[in-house]
Structures are given as C-alpha cells and as structure tokens.
C-alpha cells in the first residue's frame, strides 16, 4: 500500500436500545440515544486509496462496482475527509463484507465505520475515537456505534461534535451471543434512512422519545451488572416500542413477517420456562435472539425447529474498528 492508502475493518452492531428518527436528517443527529453490541466474526473490510489520476471516486463492494446513490453516500464522507486533510485527489474504495446481505444485519454500520477509519488514515489524519464516531455517523447513524469496542452507547448529544458513541464495557465483560434467526420470507422493504424520516409522523414517537432516558438507564445498568433478565425485558420493550412507531407512521412500515412473530413468541415462552433468551428486531423481518454463551447451543437448535426459520447465524461480542 502506498502512503495515500489505508485499510480498516469494523463489525456490524445490534441495537439493544434503538435509534429511530433524527432531529437533523442531513447530520444524522438522532432524537434519542441508543445502546448496542458489536457482532464478532462479522465485518466489513475497506481499503481507501487517494489517487491524483482518478477522475471520480470509485466504489467496489464484494467485487462489484457501485454507482449512483451508494457511491454518492461514500463520496460525501470522502469529501469531508478531503476537507479536513486538505487532500484533493479522488479515491478508490474497495470493500469486502463477510456476512450475507439480507441476513437482517445492516451492513451500513460496519461499512461506514470501516470507511471513516480507512479514509481518514489514508488522508494522513489521526482522528480520536470520538471524531471517528462522528465521521462514521454522518454516513450511517448506527455506524457511529461500530467505532468503539464491545458494548457501546451513542449519546444523543447537543451538537454535531458531541453526538458520538463510546464504549460502556469491553467485549470480554459479558459473553453474550446474538443468534440471528433468518426467517424465510424476505423482500425489500423501506430502508432505514427513509424510515427515520417517517418516525415523527407516528403519534407514538413522542412518548417513545420521552421514555428513552429511562430505558437507556435500565439497559446500561443491566449490561454493567450482567443482569440478563433485566436486559431481556428492556430490549424486548424497546424493540416493540420502535416497531409500534413504525407500524403507526404514515405511510405505515410493517417489518415483521408471520415467522418473526412466531420466533418472538417462542423466545418469550422459552424464557418463561427458564432458558435465558431475549429478542430484538431491526428494520427487517429477521429476529436477533440474545443469550449468554452457555445457552447458545440450546437456543440455536430450538430456533432451527421453528416454522419459517431458514438459518441461524451466531455472533459473540466484537471489538473496536481497527
Ligand atoms: C432499526 O443507522 O441504518 O437498525 O443513519 O439512515 O443509515 P441511517 O440509518 P441506520 O438506522 C438503524 C435503525 C435500526 C436501529 C438501530 O440500529 O439503532
């Protein structure tokens, strides 16, 4: 690699307390804080090289050239980096994502976290973790949380500078596993960016936002003291509250499939019977089932027996972007 290139790797993350809605869509300043866990084993690896001979920025993801809106979103981050570093050259961005798209894991979080780190280094900048988190946030809100390690909180913040994420506990603090139940019926629905813009049209969003500091406190404490039952109750409530907002926005967004509901009900029943499992669902039909490492085998094999569950992907707690 030349002086003007660098590569970086980042994990996707699963939100335990969800980000849904912006107070500033362009800057991706959220209406509420959120908490997440990085997903080990899954990552985006991105190489950025600034080349004076290039007429345009180029983006290649998993061997395929990406143009249009996808490229524009990446170029916007490169423009910010160029402005900060005084670089004028266009860049080639080559990114490889090692998890299946359509698996219910947003690749944008890992992708923009890796891009923020690789692009800033390639331009000769050494940004702090907070500055990297802010830069990643401008590409995709949840990407701010894929910069720090382990269990992470993205502060709602007062401004563009301080709406950033920081680690609340390292990966080794708690050996949780996310067992992602892939439900068979997946078709393309409204993406997160469009969804955030609709959140304010739900009459339930104001109540959800007003109650968020309480849920954040309960979730943060549950993580810090490793209280699985407290975590289970608060993440299921938070996921259900976000989906209630989605379902009552205009136009309404229904991300759950019948099989998603089957998994959520089974998870509640299993927990009532003593198996430590809890669900959370993002802007798609697949269900993330969290459990302590000791319950992983039983949780995964039980999930595989449910009608409509195609595959189950497991991920432990991941480290920082590096
Ligand atoms: C439901 O970060 O994907 O996964 O900023 O428009 O890229 P953009 O949105 P994104 O939204 C994530 C929404 C969510 C909840 C969460 O991860 O907190």
């Amino acid at each position: 690699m030349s002086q003007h290139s660098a590569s970086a790797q980042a994990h996707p993350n699963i939100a335990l307390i969800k980000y849904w809605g912006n107070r500033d869509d362009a800057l991706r300043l959220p209406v509420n804080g959120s908490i997440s866990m990085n997903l080990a084993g899954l990552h985006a690896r991105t190489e950025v090289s600034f080349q004076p001979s290039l007429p345009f920025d180029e983006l290649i993801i998993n061997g395929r050239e990406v143009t249009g809106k996808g490229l524009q979103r990446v170029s916007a981050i490169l423009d910010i980096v160029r402005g900060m570093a005084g670089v004028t050259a266009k860049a080639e961005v080559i990114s490889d994502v090692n998890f299946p798209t359509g698996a219910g894991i947003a690749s944008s979080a890992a992708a923009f976290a890796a891009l923020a780190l690789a692009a800033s280094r390639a331009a000769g900048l050494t940004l702090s973790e907070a500055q990297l988190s802010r830069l990643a946030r401008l590409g995709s809100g949840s990407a701010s949380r894929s910069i720090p390690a382990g269990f992470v909180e993205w502060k709602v913040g007062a401004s563009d500078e301080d709406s950033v994420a920081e680690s609340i506990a390292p990966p080794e603090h708690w050996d949780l596993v996310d067992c992602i139940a892939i439900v068979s019926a997946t078709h393309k629905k409204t993406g997160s960016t469009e969804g955030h813009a609709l959140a304010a049209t739900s009459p339930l969003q104001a109540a959800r936002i007003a109650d968020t500091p309480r849920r954040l406190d309960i979730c943060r404490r549950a993580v810090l003291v490793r209280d699985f039952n407290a975590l289970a109750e608060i993440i299921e409530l938070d996921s259900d509250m976000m989906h209630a907002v989605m379902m009552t926005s205009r136009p309404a967004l229904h991300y759950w499939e019948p099989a998603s509901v089957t998994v959520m009900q089974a998870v509640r029943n299993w927990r009532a019977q003593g198996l430590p499992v809890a669900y959370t669902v993002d802007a798609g039909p697949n269900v993330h089932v969290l459990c302590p490492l000791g319950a992983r085998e039983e949780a995964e094999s039980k999930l595989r027996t449910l009608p409509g569950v195609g595959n189950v992907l497991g991920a432990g707690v991941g480290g920082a972007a590096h």
Side-chain angles (χ1 to χ4, degrees):
M1 265 186 289
S2 80
Q3 258 186 316
H4 305 291
S5 70
S7 63
Q9 193 169 304
H11 300 295
N13 64 77
I14 178 65
L16 305 174
I17 299 295
K18 309 291 189 187
Y19 149 52
W20 197 246
N22 288 316
R23 59 188 201 271
D24 183 322
D25 282 322
L27 290 174
R28 293 187 155 82
L29 291 176
V31 289
N32 64 271
S34 52
I35 293 179
S36 62
M37 157 185 147
N38 284 343
L39 300 177
L42 314 177
H43 62 252
R45 188 187 170 80
T46 299
E47 185 183 342
V48 175
S49 71
F50 289 101
Q51 301 172 12
S53 59
L54 281 176
F56 306 105
D57 290 327
E58 268 176 29
L59 173 62
I60 294 160
I61 301 178
N62 288 347
R64 293 195 172 188
E65 181 155 11
V66 177
T67 56
K69 279 192 178 158
L71 174 62
Q72 278 170 27
R73 208 165 150 178
V74 165
S75 282
I77 299 304
L78 294 171
D79 285 342
I80 295 168
V81 170
R82 280 187 280 253
M84 290 169 88
V87 167
T88 52
K90 300 295 181 188
E92 181 184 61
V93 178
I94 300 174
S95 189
D96 288 300
V97 179
N98 79 340
F99 50 95
T101 55
I105 314 154
S107 53
S108 66
F112 281 99
L115 177 70
L117 181 52
S120 57
R121 285 294 171 85
L125 299 169
T126 304
L127 302 183
S128 68
E129 186 178 88
Q131 288 172 314
L132 285 169
S133 178
R134 176 243 171 200
L135 182 60
R137 189 201 77 224
L138 294 169
S140 177
S142 55
S144 66
R145 299 187 309 239
S146 281
I147 294 289
F151 298 88
V152 173
E153 179 165 2
W154 172 15
K155 297 277 170 55
V156 66
S159 68
D160 177 28
E161 282 71 40
D162 69 354
S163 183
V164 298
E166 58 187 45
S167 182
I168 57 172
E172 56 280 6
H173 170 73
W174 198 4
D175 50 3
L176 291 185
V177 179
D178 180 8
C179 309
I180 308 160
I182 314 292
V183 309
S184 44
T186 43
H187 47 265
K188 187 76 195 152
K189 292 258 179 119
T190 310
S192 299
T193 303
E194 294 77 42
H196 290 295
L198 298 178
T201 66
S202 165
L204 304 183
Q205 173 74 336
R208 181 187 157 275
I209 297 167
D211 183 61
T212 305
R214 185 188 72 91
R215 297 194 308 287
L216 285 168
D217 285 348
I218 293 171
C219 181
R220 194 186 308 110
R221 185 190 161 277
V223 168
L224 293 179
V225 304
R226 303 183 196 93
D227 181 341
F228 189 81
N229 274 325
L231 184 77
E233 282 176 26
I234 204 66
I235 72 172
E236 291 184 357
L237 174 69
D238 187 84
S239 175
D240 290 350
M241 284 175 79
M242 179 183 73
H243 285 272
V245 166
M246 291 164 159
M247 287 179 209
T248 52
S249 68
R250 277 169 175 261
L253 302 173
H254 283 250
Y255 287 107
W256 294 348
E257 297 286 343
S260 320
V261 178
T262 301
V263 175
M264 289 188 276
Q265 287 178 344
V267 164
R268 280 181 184 264
N269 289 337
W270 298 336
R271 191 162 76 252
Q273 291 158 14
L275 185 68
V277 283
Y279 67 75
T280 184
V281 184
D282 277 346
N286 301 310
V287 184
H288 295 251
V289 179
L290 271 78
C291 66
L293 185 60
R296 175 185 189 162
E297 254 178 67
E298 190 176 350
E300 286 192 357
S301 65
K302 279 185 130 109
L303 284 168
R304 285 182 215 279
T305 66
L306 294 178
V309 173
N311 191 16
V312 181
L313 226 89
V317 188
H322 62 277

